[in-house]
Amino acid sequence: DAGVTQSPTHLIKTRGQQVTLRCSPKSGHDTVSWYQQALGQGPQFIFQYYEEEERQRGNFPDRFSGHQFPNYSSELNVNALLLGDSALYLCASSQAGQIMNTEAFFGQGTRLTVV
Amino acid sequence: AQTVTQSQPEMSVQEAETVTLSCTYDTSESDYYLFWYKQPPSRQMILVIRQEAYKQQNATENRFSVNFQKAAKSFSLKISDSQLGDAAMYFCAYRKFYNTDKLIFGTGTRLQVFP
């Protein structure tokens, strides 16, 4: 089991550009959540996808959007990049419907730098 | 809204000694989960220990244990017999009852372990 995989690991973008980050969940997981971790801070919840729909959303502008595919993998898109979008973006997967044995598994993140 | 506070930005401990990391949280929920995650330089969030709020017994995982005080809304992590590999950022996190609810993280504590 490869666990949660994210790509790319690093990327550099220019202000105003658009970026797409990708996440493959852990085998058997059907729910994907995205978090933004600014330098020196804890992760902040962006949104969550389940059954190809956005189910929960944190306090992030509409420039942040996502998608989930039938194989449960997910993309995070950020439009009109700002310098403040520079952060580590973490993907976490989990299995919906389970109350016990509950934990989210995280990927290694994508480090986005906006210049 | 739920919040998580970690008031120790940095802590240090000598190898083989014991260290305690503090965490307080605020919630009006009665059923929820609390977690401690470790984030080494590899950036991947690794679950250290989990506590269910309805359980009075403090969780233990090998050298890691928690002191869960529900009334005081306190959730500290004790690391016994500290090892060099324990050096990392440690994040306290809160989640409502269902496993697909978002995680709310504190700002983290950087733990240094000296030989």
Side-chain angles (χ1 to χ4, degrees), chain A residues 33 35 43-45 48 56 92 103-106, chain B residues 4 33-35 37 47 92-96 99-105:
Chain A
S33 300
Y35 292 82
Q44 298 288 318
F45 175 74
Q48 181 185 89
Q56 299 180 59
E103 64 180 88
F105 286 81
F106 283 83
Chain B
V4 176
Y33 286 82
L34 295 165
F35 304 86
Y37 279 91
L47 180 65
C92 178
Y94 164 97
R95 197 200 72 210
K96 288 184 182 179
N99 69 327
T100 51
D101 285 314
K102 65 182 179 184
L103 288 161
I104 299 171
F105 288 88

Side-chain angles (χ1 to χ4, degrees), chain B residues 46-98:
Chain B
I46 301 165
L47 180 65
V48 174
I49 199 164
R50 173 180 66 234
Q51 174 77 45
E52 294 89 340
Y54 61 87
K55 289 187 177 180
Q56 292 187 338
Q57 187 173 6
N58 289 324
T60 300
E61 288 287 344
N62 301 315
R63 298 183 295 108
F64 299 88
S65 62
V66 298
N67 183 4
F68 173 50
Q69 301 289 327
K70 191 173 183 179
K73 295 180 181 175
S74 170
F75 182 61
S76 61
L77 173 70
K78 185 171 81 171
I79 307 174
S80 303
D81 187 25
S82 296
Q83 300 175 0
L84 295 177
D86 294 333
M89 283 293 294
Y90 286 81
F91 291 95
C92 178
Y94 164 97
R95 197 200 72 210
K96 288 184 182 179
F97 185 67
Y98 290 100

Side-chain angles (χ1 to χ4, degrees), chain A residues 29-40:
Chain A
H29 286 184
D30 57 9
T31 302
V32 173
S33 300
W34 288 91
Y35 292 82
Q36 180 195 65
Q37 186 179 13
L39 195 63

Side-chain angles (χ1 to χ4, degrees), chain A:
Chain A
D1 183 5
V4 180
T5 58
Q6 292 187 243
S7 63
T9 54
H10 297 84
L11 76 164
I12 300 173
K13 290 287 188 177
T14 304
R15 270 181 302 175
Q17 283 189 318
Q18 179 264 346
V19 67
T20 298
L21 312 182
R22 295 176 175 82
C23 172
S24 292
K26 179 179 169 62
S27 177
H29 286 184
D30 57 9
T31 302
V32 173
S33 300
W34 288 91
Y35 292 82
Q36 180 195 65
Q37 186 179 13
L39 195 63
Q41 300 295 316
Q44 298 288 318
F45 175 74
I46 302 174
F47 45 52
Q48 181 185 89
Y49 276 83
Y50 171 67
E51 292 187 339
E52 302 181 46
E53 291 191 358
E54 183 182 291
R55 190 162 71 169
Q56 299 180 59
R57 189 177 183 93
N59 189 25
F60 279 81
D62 292 344
R63 298 187 297 109
F64 290 77
S65 64
H67 189 77
Q68 185 179 35
F69 299 93
N71 66 352
Y72 308 121
S73 66
S74 177
E75 289 181 349
L76 164 65
N77 302 293
V78 186
N79 295 322
L81 284 166
L82 303 174
L83 295 179
D85 295 331
S86 296
L88 179 67
Y89 288 85
L90 294 166
C91 170
S93 72
S94 54
Q95 175 65 44
Q98 289 193 358
I99 296 177
M100 302 305 291
N101 189 27
T102 56
E103 64 180 88
F105 286 81
F106 283 83
Q108 288 189 301
T110 295
R111 172 75 67 191
L112 172 64
T113 302
V114 182
V115 298

